[in-house]
């Protein structure tokens, strides 16, 4: 079912043992995203081994001081789209399949998801290397994001939750993270986890 993790600004990202356990339990690819100094979000994904993930993650964590940024981390279990780097999370908000499949990019937002989106599952089956999350972003979320102040409106995330019936977190370029219902804050490290597979 995957695990989606987010670290608000001012929070140390999860310790390496939590990340390793997350990858072991959700082994079909990983990625992460963080906000940059120019008000954008950097997405880096497509890691199909623990070693490739942790080496790159640690490099960026040190270079960009993740404690002072909003950070999304995701470890995948395949549902739709195949076990391929292009289907790993995070994703930008875009209606374009090629953009959603890019392994490294800068965007206005980054999205991670945990669960199965039935509404988008049929659409995902029709498309090559497109997961249900990607189909949902392309067909629905990209349209929602065209409305002014959509990210700040609490009703937006209620609607997203009602539509996907699962958990989603979105990072904006200023480091703000908003999430649907269902994430739990760990009492020790104060990161937010979509389930306990960490």
């Amino acid at each position: 079912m995957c695990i989606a993790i987010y670290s608000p600004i001012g929070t140390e990202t999860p310790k390496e043992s939590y990340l390793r356990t997350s990858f072991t339990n959700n082994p079909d690819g990983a990625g992460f995203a963080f906000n940059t100094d120019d008000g954008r979000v950097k997405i880096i994904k497509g890691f199909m081994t623990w070693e490739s993930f942790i080496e790159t993650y640690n490099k960026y964590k040190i270079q960009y001081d993740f404690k002072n940024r909003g950070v999304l981390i995701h470890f995948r279990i395949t549902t739709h789209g195949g076990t391929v780097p292009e289907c790993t999370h995070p994703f930008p908000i875009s209606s374009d399949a090629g953009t959603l499949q890019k392994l490294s990019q800068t965007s206005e937002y980054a999205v991670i998801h945990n669960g199965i989106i039935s509404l988008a599952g049929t659409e995902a089956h029709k498309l090559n290397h497109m997961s249900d999350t990607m189909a949902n972003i392309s067909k629905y979320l990209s349209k929602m994001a065209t409305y002014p102040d959509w990210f700040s409106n609490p009703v937006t995330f209620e609607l997203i939750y009602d539509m996907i019936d699962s958990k989603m977190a979105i990072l904006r370029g200023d480091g703000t993270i908003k999430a649907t219902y269902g994430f739990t804050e760990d009492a020790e490290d104060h990161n937010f986890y979509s389930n306990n597979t960490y």
Side-chain angles (χ1 to χ4, degrees):
M1 185 180 278
C2 310
I3 185 167
I5 305 166
Y6 70 88
S7 302
I9 292 174
T11 304
E12 290 283 1
T13 54
K15 58 187 176 181
E16 192 166 311
S17 63
Y18 283 9
L19 298 176
R20 181 187 285 274
T21 301
S22 296
F23 193 97
T24 299
N25 291 330
N26 305 274
D28 292 338
F32 60 94
F34 58 92
N35 68 293
T36 60
D37 293 333
D38 61 355
R40 305 278 284 169
V41 171
K42 179 70 175 170
I43 297 171
I44 305 164
K45 65 177 191 169
F47 301 103
M48 306 308 285
T49 66
W50 162 252
E51 292 77 16
S52 63
F53 168 80
I54 198 62
E55 180 181 351
T56 305
Y57 173 84
N58 281 336
K59 179 179 81 171
Y60 279 92
K61 179 182 177 181
I62 293 166
Q63 182 179 351
Y64 287 93
D65 185 15
F66 279 180
K67 184 176 180 180
N68 292 310
R69 301 181 188 277
V71 179
L72 304 180
I73 307 167
H74 190 275
F75 300 94
R76 183 172 186 248
I77 289 180
T78 301
T79 53
H80 302 88
T83 305
V84 294
E86 293 82 4
C87 287
T88 57
H89 303 215
F91 300 104
I93 295 179
S94 174
S95 60
D96 179 67
T99 300
L100 291 167
Q101 293 172 341
K102 286 174 100 175
L103 303 185
S104 178
Q105 63 184 296
T106 304
S107 183
E108 292 183 65
Y109 299 93
V111 180
I112 54 175
H113 169 250
N114 174 202
I116 297 172
I117 305 174
S118 300
L119 182 66
T122 303
E123 188 72 20
H125 280 300
K126 297 178 194 173
L127 303 169
N128 191 28
H129 296 314
M130 286 282 280
S131 68
D132 53 331
T133 304
M134 297 164 81
N136 176 267
I137 292 169
S138 175
K139 191 166 185 177
Y140 303 107
L141 190 57
S142 65
K143 292 174 185 168
M144 293 175 76
T146 63
Y147 287 90
D149 209 32
W150 73 277
F151 186 78
S152 301
N153 188 335
V155 175
T156 300
F157 286 83
E158 291 176 23
L159 288 171
I160 291 171
Y161 183 78
D162 288 345
M163 184 171 60
I164 67 174
D165 193 27
S166 48
K167 301 161 198 168
M168 182 176 281
I170 303 175
L171 168 65
R172 188 170 63 184
D174 64 357
T176 302
I177 299 171
K178 298 278 183 85
T180 61
Y181 172 78
F183 284 83
T184 302
E185 181 179 2
D186 184 89
E188 290 182 26
D189 74 4
H190 302 291
N191 290 289
F192 290 80
Y193 298 86
S194 63
N195 59 53
N196 63 3
T197 60
Y198 62 97

